[in-house]
Amino acid sequence: MAKSAKSVTDVLLQKNILHCAICKNLLLSTPVMLVENAGNLCSTCYNENFLESKCLQNTALEELVTTLSYPCRFRENGCEHWSSSGDLLDHEENCRYRSKKCPMYSICQCVWEGFPTEFVGHFINCHGEHIINFENSLFYLDITFSEEELIKLLVMKNIILLLKMQLSLEKNKLFYVVCNVKDDGSNYDYSVKHKGNSESYIKTRSRVLDSNYVYKSVDECDAVSVDLLSLQQTVKVTNRITNIFKIKTYDTPVHYIGERMLHFFECPVCKSFMKPPIYQCQSGHSICNTCKPRLEKCPTCRAPFGMTRNYSLEGLTAGVSYPCIYHDLGCMMSLSPAEISRHEAVCPYKPYNCPLPQCTMSGSHDIITNHLQEFHSDHVVVSDSHGYAESFRLEQHSLYNHIFDRKVLLAFDHIFRLTCKRVSDYCMWAAEAIGVQSELKNFVYEVSIIDVRRPEKRLIRTDYCLNEMPEEDLFKKCIMFPNSILSSYSSHGMVSYHFKIKKGV
């Protein structure tokens, strides 16, 4: 019966009986006026131009129009939706098969418009520099205070999303929205860590919206908003905000106990998962052992804290696999409470700090590598095998007890900090491997003292690269050359040396 009704509607549509004679739209608005020498007109097209024409209200057609169901006008694009005249306009307004405009108009005035199936191809061909391909549901995006708006196409296997981010200095807020290009009903959530020049961060969570939201003005109703003042005070943002996005798909395998269960182990202050010892206030609210010393009262009920332990919750931790604290950065490891703490100390996803003093920048390996080359290029050497050469005046007493050379060497996809120091009787060299404790013995550093008068005459020593450590400990385990020996290699009081990193055998 339904198919028969649809067939009748199709016949009437083909003969244009249900369309306005002027605008050619369906006669969904009343009154429908039958005008001599014109035909049936919708309420919009029937105006003062036809007041002197013979006409009458076509109530029979109005009743027929309200009785029938109609196909979406984007049926040719693939939509199979049928609905009554009252619901059709609402559906078409949000139909995922409606023609798409390019959202890059606000960035580069692109006026492309086409079918949804053509949209991704257009973006790849015309706006390839605005595409982010990512894996493990994780990607990084920086925005500076000089950029008012960013639009990125996000691609991870068969997931295609659009990100729109706006920085409003007038409202002192960062707005952003993530939309599903396919509009296929997939259910995605995402979280974002907003970082500046400190190790702290502000974290936000939201859900992926339908694609039509990317064409709307980004405001506090639809978009996530982050207060810029909070970012400046909490995470020491100056001119650049680093945003770490984590997309969560509900069909992604989860390697640790579900979030609903882990929720009971979440500290209400730092949002990390609590591990023994776990404390509780007089009312029974739990808090982790890191946050407890900082607080006098419970953040939930304001009751005072004592030394009461939540032994029941502690007992449950034995059967829980804890996700690594860097899971938002891509780590999928999950272990028992004791094992996960050891893993986190050497986790390859652990954020790096800038290895140069006075700089508080932190981020992933790639972020810090790019940061070093952009902001500290005078102190960076990029070389897998050659290292770098330098010289200094041996009798320059003003250098005693001071660092006289510090470089960062980018080699073998790792970051190394090379430091040289002089005291009255010795010159000392040390190399630290940044963030690679588990691979430390794979790398050695080599210092060569070169007689420039006879380059074949060299004094060479090697040693294993060190962990990151305070300066006062660094030169207890370093390569040292007595000044008396260095003087025999000097030329006109200058000593030349070559410093490089090598892979261990």
Side-chain angles (χ1 to χ4, degrees), residues 10 13 71-82 97:
D10 277 332
L13 291 172
C72 173
R73 64 190 174 99
F74 302 112
R75 180 162 58 167
E76 291 184 359
N77 295 355
C79 183
E80 299 179 355
H81 180 83
W82 286 66
Y97 291 96

Side-chain angles (χ1 to χ4, degrees), residues 187-202:
N187 211 0
Y188 306 129
D189 285 349
Y190 64 96
S191 62
V192 187
K193 285 184 176 180
H194 309 279
K195 301 195 68 176
N197 296 323
S198 72
E199 295 186 4
S200 302
Y201 59 84
I202 291 178

Side-chain angles (χ1 to χ4, degrees), residues 357-370:
Q358 311 305 321
C359 182
T360 57
M361 180 66 179
S362 66
S364 68
H365 175 276
D366 291 342
I367 286 178
I368 293 300
T369 298
N370 293 333

Side-chain angles (χ1 to χ4, degrees), residues 23-39:
C23 68
K24 306 305 180 183
N25 291 328
L26 284 173
L27 295 164
L28 301 180
S29 58
T30 57
V32 175
M33 303 301 294
L34 179 58
V35 181
E36 185 179 24
N37 298 324

Side-chain angles (χ1 to χ4, degrees), residues 143-147 167 169 228 232 237-241:
I143 184 170
T144 64
F145 280 34
S146 60
E147 297 173 289
L167 194 66
L169 298 180
L228 293 182
Q232 290 167 339
V237 163
T238 52
N239 186 48
R240 180 188 302 269
I241 305 170

Side-chain angles (χ1 to χ4, degrees), residues 432-433 436-444 464-467:
E432 301 162 90
V436 289
Q437 295 182 27
S438 60
E439 303 178 44
L440 204 56
K441 291 190 177 180
N442 291 343
F443 301 104
V444 298
Y464 285 109
C465 289
L466 304 168
N467 284 319

